[in-house]
Amino acid sequence: MSAEHWLFFFFAGVAVLGALNLILQRHPIHSALSLILVMASLAVLYLLLGAEFIAAIQIIVYAGAIMVLFVFVIMVLNAGEEERTSLSRVAKFVGLPLAAVFLVEVCYVLYRAWPSEQMVVPERFLGRTEAIGKALYGEFLLPFELTAILILIALVGAVVLAQKEP
Amino acid sequence: MHVPLSYYLILSAILFGLGVLGFLLKRNIIAIFMSLELMLNAVNLSFVAFSYAWQQISGQIFVFFVIVVAAAEAAVGLAIIIMIFRNRASLNIERINLMKL
Amino acid sequence: MSEWISRHPELLVAGLKAGVLIFVLLTAVAYMVWFERKLIAHIQSRWGPYRVGPHGLLQPLADGLKFLFKEDIILTNVTSRFVYLFAPFLSLALALLAVAVIPFGPEEFELLGTRTGLYVADINVGLLFVLAVTSLGVYGVVLAGWSSNSKYPLLGGLRSAAQMISYELALTFAVVGVLLLAGTLSLREIVDGQSGTWAGFLPRWHVFPQFVAFVCFFVAGVAETNRTPFDLPEAESELVAGFHTEYSSLKFAMFFMAEYAHIITTSLLVTILFFGGWLSPFPDTAAWNFTRFLPSVLTAVLALLFFRDAFRLTNQYHRVLTFLICMGLAGLAFLLLHPTALVLAQGPFWLLAKTGMFLFVFVWTRATLPRFRYDQLMAFGWKLLVPLAVLNVFVTSFVVAWRAD
């Protein structure tokens, strides 16, 4: 067992437990904290896959900006514990098992489709920030500019939606 | 000893499944929104894994775009949630079933 | 276990370095508090701490003991007990984490058979790492404010969240100007890129071409650390103590230490990004060779000052302690004359000297400037600082592109 092995299983476990906790917790703040945990452990997994820049962006934008917005809104609205409603019987006895079967099936197919001798060696591929910058401003220039416009529209939309009614 | 690539993809599938589960089970509209973010994160993981598998940087570019879109979506979505709360004084999705107040 | 460690000596080395760094940082935080009290006192024509040890040098120890023995009040009507207990821990952990990627000098040395340098981790995206960790710092404050279930902490937490998000924008935009010139995200390479001089005497530090970015970065850095004149989240005349009103004992101390660790990190970052990090301000020529002995000479001067005090002070214990400190400093001055130590000490000496200058400015602004009003604070951040930083990015990228042609 190498250090990478331990790192993968530890952070994969943390991510899955965090995701489970997101569903099980009844208070939105607790759910938000579990989601931040999932995002942080995913950032470590990105590092293991050699994507340094994406790992940093994941923390800065997702955990540091988007989730702060969520926590902020939860605080401002003073959202309390969520009221549970019981599932319909069909969903409970047919839906959930079927979903589990489907998930296992997907996992099995993925496991078979990718030869298990294809190992992840972090040193082999580095998502150098330089390469990402070159691709963004070369091959993907148009989508990049379009996302800039998208952000602007979202900005205006958020301000218009959330402002007090005149 | 290294980790096979398929483990990363399986983890991504599991996280996506949990995201769907949360989306269907949660009743708080903000929690539903967070389940959505979880699904996006799961997809991002498989993008990065595929980027590694094919040794192509474009997979990571996709993640970049997904994050940008998620940021825009969170801004607008939370603004909408604030509007809903202002009008109905509740975040429970089952109480938001009327088009007209 | 021991076999596993012997197969991975780099893990042991990293752990050792991290332990030393955390110890040094926590000590520095404690003495930063002493420095601030002393300096503000002198600015206001007072003496400041003077009783506990010579010049109050043992005051941090007394403060620490006091925090330790205070009653630890844990509220029972908190919104969420877990979050309430978790917030101070998160604050301190993140504040300490950011220093991990800061390089303190260029030299490499051998430790337990591994070649290593004066840093805990040298990663390619070091700058992004620091920004990422500081962007998470807002959670400690917000969660503390929210979970206390009390109105002043809640208001303080909300204010701080809004403030930190707003000023982080200006901070990041200011960094972009430096990145355009340096062309790298690694803190080591950013410093290396600033070596050399312009016209033979002016060091090639980024502060000269990027003066606007430097001002934006420093002001935003002060706002990020919630310091005066931007200390709205803990404004004592309006909010009691802001987000940490409901915390006592060690949990309060954790917030306190986190704030001072943030100040130190910001000062280190300003030094590395704009003031050439560990590079000496003097030109690298034979005529200026004597400046290599500055670390030793300054330590010796400090020892002499303490030596004078040993005869001037009236308290017996203080005299003995002063004499001991004097002997220690004199020994250090001799040790620094050793050829290896002389080379190894150059980087940290200049880095810490420049950082100390910014720590001084941090305290100086606190002693001088009044607090902003909240709307002024937001207007200042969004309407002045962010546009200025963006303008700087525009101009810099234009010049860089023009020069590249």
Side-chain angles (χ1 to χ4, degrees):
Chain A
M1 290 292 253
S2 69
E4 275 144 35
H5 224 93
W6 285 112
L7 279 175
F8 173 80
F9 282 109
F10 180 75
F11 284 102
V14 169
V16 171
L17 287 183
L20 269 177
N21 200 38
L22 192 163
I23 300 174
L24 294 176
Q25 287 292 341
R26 302 183 59 174
H27 203 289
I29 284 269
H30 291 156
S31 295
L33 285 180
S34 338
L35 188 52
I36 294 163
L37 193 66
V38 175
M39 285 163 175
S41 42
L42 281 184
V44 178
L45 294 181
Y46 293 166
L47 279 182
L48 287 180
L49 284 166
E52 304 169 321
F53 183 69
I54 295 298
I57 286 275
Q58 165 94 355
I59 296 288
I60 294 178
V61 179
Y62 254 130
I66 298 180
M67 288 317 290
V68 172
L69 209 60
F70 272 90
V71 172
F72 198 74
V73 167
I74 295 172
M75 276 170 69
V76 167
L77 299 186
N78 200 10
E81 305 230 323
E82 113 187 276
E83 307 157 26
R84 278 279 157 82
T85 43
S86 54
L87 287 173
S88 76
R89 211 177 276 155
V90 179
K92 205 186 258 171
F93 294 111
V94 182
L96 287 181
L98 273 180
V101 167
F102 179 68
L103 196 63
V104 170
E105 206 177 317
V106 169
C107 292
Y108 180 71
V109 168
L110 281 174
Y111 190 69
R112 289 299 300 275
W114 290 87
S116 54
E117 57 268 21
Q118 190 173 5
M119 299 293 179
V120 173
V121 188
E123 294 82 34
R124 230 181 74 208
F125 173 60
L126 276 180
R128 298 294 303 224
T129 314
E130 244 179 284
I132 291 183
K134 288 222 171 78
L136 263 187
Y137 285 93
E139 200 182 341
F140 296 94
L141 185 62
L142 184 65
F144 182 71
E145 297 294 336
L146 286 179
T147 46
I149 297 173
L150 179 76
I151 288 267
L152 182 67
I153 295 171
L155 201 73
V156 175
V159 170
V160 169
L161 275 174
Q163 80 185 154
K164 282 249 153 60
E165 274 166 49
Chain B
M1 215 8 218
H2 293 288
V3 183
L5 190 72
S6 52
Y7 284 17
Y8 284 93
L9 297 172
I10 290 172
L11 175 66
S12 161
I14 292 173
L15 287 180
F16 191 85
L18 287 173
V20 174
L21 201 64
F23 188 83
L24 295 176
L25 289 182
K26 297 302 267 187
R27 284 292 162 265
N28 186 315
I29 189 163
I30 297 179
I32 289 176
F33 205 10
M34 285 193 275
S35 309
L36 212 71
E37 297 287 337
L38 179 61
M39 285 192 261
L40 284 176
N41 265 287
V43 172
N44 282 352
L45 179 61
S46 50
F47 266 131
V48 175
F50 281 129
S51 159
Y52 179 86
W54 302 116
Q55 300 283 307
Q56 294 247 326
I57 202 78
S58 43
Q60 298 187 14
I61 302 281
F62 267 103
V63 177
F64 182 83
F65 285 133
V66 169
I67 290 177
V68 170
V69 171
E73 170 215 320
V76 177
L78 287 173
I80 292 174
I81 288 176
I82 289 178
M83 279 300 286
I84 291 174
F85 188 79
R86 227 177 249 158
N87 288 331
R88 323 229 166 189
S90 167
L91 288 173
N92 192 331
I93 196 94
E94 294 188 339
R95 301 237 174 114
I96 310 170
N97 51 4
L98 297 172
M99 295 287 277
K100 202 177 159 203
L101 276 175
Chain C
M1 188 67 197
S2 60
E3 185 204 352
W4 198 68
I5 285 176
S6 63
R7 267 196 297 134
H8 300 276
E10 68 275 5
L11 288 180
L12 189 64
V13 168
L16 218 63
K17 283 196 292 187
V20 169
L21 184 66
I22 286 180
F23 175 74
V24 170
L25 193 62
L26 287 179
T27 315
V29 163
Y31 276 91
M32 178 69 203
V33 178
W34 172 83
F35 175 66
E36 173 164 41
R37 287 177 67 177
K38 204 76 182 165
L39 185 57
I40 288 190
H42 279 277
I43 287 174
Q44 296 167 348
S45 298
R46 295 184 286 116
W47 282 111
Y50 218 95
R51 299 280 172 147
V52 196
H55 299 281
L57 272 173
L58 294 180
Q59 187 72 38
L61 208 64
D63 285 346
L65 283 176
K66 187 183 145 202
F67 276 133
L68 209 61
F69 290 120
K70 279 244 169 173
E71 186 189 352
D72 191 10
I73 301 166
I74 298 176
L75 302 182
T76 47
N77 64 334
V78 290
T79 324
S80 159
R81 197 180 151 84
F82 169 74
V83 176
Y84 176 75
L85 296 178
F86 180 60
F89 176 73
L90 184 74
S91 270
L92 184 59
L94 288 173
L96 294 181
L97 186 62
V99 193
V101 293
I102 301 238
F104 286 89
E107 271 77 31
E108 294 195 326
F109 55 93
E110 196 104 5
L111 188 68
L112 293 173
T114 322
R115 277 204 78 69
T116 176
L118 292 164
Y119 46 77
V120 172
D122 179 28
I123 56 177
N124 289 332
V125 286
L127 186 56
L128 285 183
F129 180 86
V130 176
L131 290 178
V133 170
T134 47
S135 77
L136 289 182
V138 64
Y139 284 114
V141 174
V142 169
L143 293 177
W146 172 78
S147 66
S148 294
N149 196 14
S150 161
K151 44 178 153 335
Y152 294 124
L154 184 68
L155 280 173
L158 283 177
R159 276 184 178 188
S160 137
Q163 176 180 331
M164 284 169 107
I165 295 179
S166 312
Y167 278 87
E168 195 155 289
L169 222 62
L171 194 86
T172 316
F173 269 123
V175 167
V176 173
V178 173
L179 290 185
L180 283 168
L181 292 186
T184 172
L185 285 166
S186 155
L187 292 173
R188 257 170 92 79
E189 288 169 31
I190 287 177
V191 174
D192 282 338
Q194 298 178 60
S195 57
T197 50
W198 278 302
F201 68 97
L202 198 64
R204 294 178 74 94
W205 293 349
H206 285 146
V207 63
F208 300 116
Q210 289 291 320
F211 188 71
V212 179
F214 161 65
V215 172
C216 286
F217 187 90
F218 192 69
V219 173
V222 175
E224 274 279 302
T225 47
N226 291 335
R227 295 278 300 183
T228 339
F230 306 102
D231 63 342
L232 272 295
E234 39 194 289
E236 67 273 5
S237 50
E238 304 161 31
L239 294 176
V240 190
F243 59 89
H244 55 63
T245 306
E246 304 289 354
Y247 286 89
S248 66
S249 183
L250 264 187
K251 288 201 282 298
F252 166 72
M254 278 176 156
F255 281 121
F256 206 60
M257 288 194 281
E259 183 181 321
Y260 283 87
H262 265 308
I263 294 171
I264 292 175
T265 314
T266 310
S267 305
L268 281 169
L269 214 54
V270 171
T271 310
I272 285 175
L273 289 180
F274 295 99
F275 282 82
W278 58 73
L279 299 169
S280 157
F282 301 110
D284 192 15
T285 52
W288 291 93
N289 215 354
F290 68 90
T291 55
R292 287 188 310 130
F293 295 101
L294 267 179
S296 181
V297 170
L298 285 183
T299 320
V301 168
L302 208 60
L304 279 180
L305 285 177
F306 271 104
F307 190 67
R308 193 192 58 169
D309 268 1
F311 292 101
R312 237 178 30 163
L313 291 174
T314 45
N315 187 317
Q316 286 301 322
Y317 298 109
H318 289 185
R319 290 175 90 162
V320 173
L321 251 173
T322 318
F323 193 68
L324 284 179
I325 294 173
C326 164
M327 293 312 287
L329 284 174
L332 188 66
F334 272 112
L335 195 71
L336 283 177
L337 285 176
H338 186 272
T340 323
L342 191 66
V343 173
L344 210 59
Q346 289 302 311
F349 171 72
W350 285 114
L351 184 70
L352 296 181
K354 292 171 195 170
T355 306
M357 201 175 77
F358 287 106
L359 294 179
F360 176 84
V361 177
F362 262 98
V363 178
W364 187 17
T365 49
R366 172 164 173 196
T368 314
L369 295 175
R371 188 176 295 134
F372 271 108
R373 222 171 49 221
Y374 197 66
D375 57 322
Q376 289 173 332
L377 173 95
M378 280 297 156
F380 181 72
W382 284 102
K383 293 181 187 162
L384 184 70
L385 226 47
V386 172
L388 204 63
V390 173
L391 193 71
N392 178 56
V393 171
F394 262 114
V395 174
T396 311
S397 47
F398 191 76
V399 171
V400 168
W402 180 61
R403 284 229 308 248
D405 273 346

